[in-house]
Amino acid sequence: MAAHERSARLLVGLLAGGAAAHFLIPKLFDATIPRALPGTPRSWTYGSAVVELAVAGAVAVPATRRIGGLLAAGLLTAVFPANVKMAYDWRDRPAPLRNAALARLPVQVPLVLWALRVSRQAAPHRQG
């Protein structure tokens, strides 16, 4: 398997795993939803899980991988405010939890760059 195919599959796993976590432990994610958003935090948690699954599906299929990678980069950028909120909310938690929340912030940049690389490396879809 080529390195770019392996990279795309790993990205699919990250996205699908994140979606599964949203469904399995939604309370953790509910707490990261900014209060300014309309609706309930749970609806945003489940909605974001559905979007993650859809984006994972787009990355998984070679014909849609180019757009899927771009969508993944956009999604990873869009969730950054939730990570900032979590880091702020956890500022008084024990050091390991606080540090984990803070560590998520700079990790977002390489994740976005990874998704963009997956998009760039995807073979262009040809209409037959």
Side-chain angles (χ1 to χ4, degrees):
M1 175 184 321
H4 67 277
E5 180 67 26
R6 190 170 33 258
S7 180
R9 288 184 183 194
L10 288 170
L11 181 58
V12 169
L14 175 81
L15 293 164
H22 281 75
F23 285 120
L24 294 171
I25 47 173
K27 188 174 179 181
L28 175 68
F29 296 96
D30 291 349
T32 68
I33 305 300
R35 307 258 184 276
L37 292 175
T40 65
R42 185 62 50 93
S43 65
W44 284 97
T45 295
Y46 287 156
S48 64
V50 170
V51 170
E52 274 186 302
L53 283 175
V55 171
V59 174
V61 177
T64 57
R65 186 166 294 150
R66 187 175 298 271
I67 188 69
L70 292 175
L71 292 170
L75 176 63
L76 291 163
T77 301
V79 300
F80 186 73
N83 293 343
V84 171
K85 182 180 184 311
M86 182 179 188
Y88 179 79
D89 289 348
W90 287 24
R91 68 192 179 282
D92 296 325
R93 298 256 178 125
L97 293 175
R98 182 179 62 244
N99 292 339
L102 287 170
R104 291 180 65 173
L105 300 177
V107 169
Q108 212 71 20
V109 172
L111 291 175
V112 169
L113 294 174
W114 176 24
L116 291 172
R117 187 171 51 253
V118 166
S119 176
R120 277 193 314 275
Q121 292 173 340
H125 181 64
R126 301 197 196 304
Q127 296 293 329

